[in-house]
Amino acid sequence: MNVLSLFDGISCGMLALERAGIKVDKYYASEIDKYAIQVSKNNYPDIIQLGDINNWEKWELPKIDLIIGGSPCTNLSVAGNGKGLEGSERSLFYKFVDIVKYYKPKYFLLENVRMKKEWQDIMSEDLGVEPVLINSPLVSAQNRERLYWANFPITQPEDRGILLKDIVLDDVFPVALHNLYGGFKEKSVR
């Protein structure tokens, strides 16, 4: 399977595919953050870095089977600036749509935050599918509602019952708090 990951970050898409047992022949990544790219290269040196998504028309890629991504959400998030699809990042969502239409992959998956219904409806119309809302407490120790648009069935994951206490290391957490806030006595952190 050839995969194209847009807004790739540290290549968590590759990790997810590995964990799902999906064999990846070539993994192409579009990312601009130099630190994210460093982490990606360290963990997956065979990933082919393509750079800025704004230059996608210059990419010469083979047949792509899966396109994944999560376009920036600053404009869409209720915690963001509230400009939605009128904001400065709107073009990045539309780049995702253009790339899906151009490469016509067998599968695509787009992730983004929960947002106003009007923006969700526009994105759904442009992608030709309705999103599925999944909240992360089902599979992690955090509360993160996310929308997933895909041209394949997505089902709610089983609740794994993971709590914060399940992922915090007793010997690391007090040190991290001390380093973060400084000046705490060890006794007051525990």
Side-chain angles (χ1 to χ4, degrees), residues 76 85 114-124 130-131 147 149:
L76 298 167
L85 291 173
R114 192 167 189 178
M115 62 190 69
K116 287 184 178 178
K117 181 83 167 100
E118 66 186 274
W119 303 332
Q120 179 181 320
D121 289 346
I122 292 168
M123 292 171 75
S124 297
E130 291 295 320
L147 295 168
W149 287 264

Side-chain angles (χ1 to χ4, degrees), residues 165-190:
K165 69 180 180 121
D166 298 326
I167 64 168
V168 172
L169 302 174
D170 291 335
D171 58 340
V172 175
F173 191 61
V175 173
L177 278 178
H178 177 77
N179 291 340
L180 181 63
Y181 295 108
F184 285 135
K185 295 178 183 172
E186 177 113 7
K187 188 176 182 182
S188 67
V189 175
R190 290 181 189 234

Side-chain angles (χ1 to χ4, degrees), residues 67-86:
I67 296 177
I68 58 176
S71 58
C73 63
T74 306
N75 299 149
L76 298 167
S77 171
V78 294
N81 64 22
K83 294 185 178 184
L85 291 173
E86 300 302 316

Side-chain angles (χ1 to χ4, degrees), residues 54-80:
N54 290 305
N55 300 321
W56 77 268
E57 292 171 333
K58 296 176 185 171
W59 299 343
E60 295 182 23
L61 304 178
K63 171 77 175 128
I64 299 295
D65 303 295
L66 170 65
I67 296 177
I68 58 176
S71 58
C73 63
T74 306
N75 299 149
L76 298 167
S77 171
V78 294

